[in-house]
Amino acid sequence: MAVTTPTPTRTSEEPAPPAAPRPARRRGAAVRRWRWPAVVPFFAFMAVCFGLPACTLAYNAFTVIDPDTGASHHSLENVRTSLSGAYATGLAGSVKLSLLSAVVATVLGTVIAQAVLASRRSALRKAVVSASGVFANFSGAPLAFAFIATLGTTGTVTRLLHLKATGFSLYTFAGLVLAYLYFMVPLMIVTILPALDGVRAQWREAAASCGATRAQFWRHVGLPVLMPSLLGGAVLMFGTAFASHATAAVMTGSSVPLITIQIANALSGNVLVGQENLALAMSLNMVVIALLVMAVQIPLQRRSNRWLG
């Protein structure tokens, strides 16, 4: 004889079973769909303010205009010219100036920032950070005039210390490096301070408990952890020096060949008339170098944030 068990019936007093949750995939898709309208103005701004000028620059850089007939055609002539002769010398000079300034600024800025942190004085740190923020933005023509009045041929410090007798001249490659360091070292201090703050005291204590000296700690622990931040800061310094124009234009003019000054001369017709597209080709070379700098800096910054965040 088969025995059947009655099926329990749910009374009105019992709570209803919970509803099945909606799939997470659908919720995520809905959230992404609602996020897109919020970023449309940003992409529109980027397209108008950056995309359109970049496309126009690239188009005109590959356009050659016949000075006799005014007819235009597409060619690589402007790009080849911008990478040869005096223009190649200017590009090499800008790269050399940027590399030297970036290396010196990275070393000096890191040493000064570490000395400020090691002092453990909050007042000193606030003063250095505030001064660095001001000096990092003091560049261009005002900085050039200040250096000319101080270290120029008839400058105050030049006359007091008799620098002319030593052969020192502000209007040379070395003078440009000195002027660039005035605003690049403070910028490096502001850039590297958060990374130095991320070096935890527990790491030093653990290294000391294992018998490591301070030099061994920095060589085996501190510098390897800080290396992405240091390289990222050096790349940032390179880009800053590479794009600077007003300081060099006021201090040295065309005596020191730099790509930025050559672009300005070509656009204004100081050397050759009708060479605007050649100037755009030189600008395109600078854009390519700037993109390479960004391609190096962004991964380094992400890796630094992963270690020190």
Side-chain angles (χ1 to χ4, degrees):
M1 178 187 239
V3 179
T4 60
T5 58
T7 303
T9 59
R10 183 174 60 86
T11 63
S12 59
E13 298 179 354
E14 296 179 357
R22 295 179 61 185
R25 185 175 182 181
R26 292 182 180 178
R27 289 200 302 268
V31 170
R32 286 194 297 269
R33 186 167 59 251
W34 281 106
R35 284 178 180 176
W36 272 108
V39 297
V40 168
F42 171 75
F43 285 113
F45 174 81
M46 293 289 293
V48 173
C49 297
F50 292 96
L52 184 60
C55 294
T56 304
L57 185 148
Y59 178 82
N60 290 329
F62 294 100
T63 302
V64 179
I65 300 177
D66 191 341
D68 297 329
T69 63
S72 62
H73 63 279
H74 298 291
S75 174
L76 295 175
E77 181 180 350
N78 290 329
V79 177
R80 285 195 296 263
T81 305
S82 66
L83 295 175
S84 61
Y87 303 111
T89 304
L91 182 60
S94 293
V95 172
K96 180 181 176 182
L97 175 64
S98 303
L99 281 175
L100 181 59
S101 302
V103 171
V104 177
T106 301
V107 174
L108 292 180
T110 304
V111 171
I112 295 173
Q114 177 58 30
V116 171
L117 289 179
S119 68
R120 304 292 183 182
R121 296 179 181 178
S122 60
L124 177 62
R125 174 170 179 171
K126 291 179 181 178
V128 171
V129 170
S130 300
S132 298
V134 174
F135 294 150
N137 292 282
F138 185 67
S139 60
L143 176 64
F145 286 126
F147 265 85
I148 291 173
T150 306
L151 294 171
T153 305
T154 58
T156 305
V157 177
T158 303
R159 288 183 296 176
L160 289 176
L161 301 181
H162 305 286
L163 294 180
K164 287 185 66 176
T166 63
F168 172 80
S169 177
L170 182 66
Y171 313 111
T172 58
F173 184 86
L176 272 182
V177 173
L178 183 63
Y180 278 30
L181 291 178
Y182 185 88
F183 63 88
M184 290 176 61
V185 171
L187 179 60
M188 186 62 192
I189 293 175
V190 176
T191 303
I192 201 64
L193 264 176
L196 291 173
D197 266 338
V199 179
R200 297 177 176 84
Q202 293 86 343
W203 300 347
R204 297 188 181 92
E205 296 171 359
S209 64
C210 294
T213 62
R214 180 176 298 182
Q216 290 174 334
F217 165 77
W218 283 109
R219 185 176 64 180
H220 296 289
V221 180
L223 285 180
V225 172
L226 289 173
M227 191 56 64
S229 298
L230 292 174
L231 293 178
V235 170
L236 177 62
M237 297 302 106
F238 175 87
T240 301
F242 189 72
S244 298
H245 164 68
T247 302
V250 173
M251 281 183 54
T252 62
S254 299
S255 59
V256 177
L258 297 176
I259 188 65
T260 52
I261 298 177
Q262 291 175 341
I263 292 173
N265 291 336
L267 287 174
S268 60
N270 289 343
V271 181
L272 294 175
V273 179
Q275 295 297 313
E276 293 82 4
N277 287 352
L278 176 60
L280 295 179
M282 290 187 285
S283 302
L284 183 63
N285 297 335
M286 292 190 65
V287 170
V288 172
I289 295 178
L291 290 176
L292 294 176
V293 169
M294 292 176 60
V296 173
Q297 184 189 11
I298 292 175
L300 290 174
Q301 186 177 5
R302 289 179 178 175
R303 185 173 180 181
S304 175
N305 294 336
R306 190 185 315 123
W307 275 97
L308 302 172

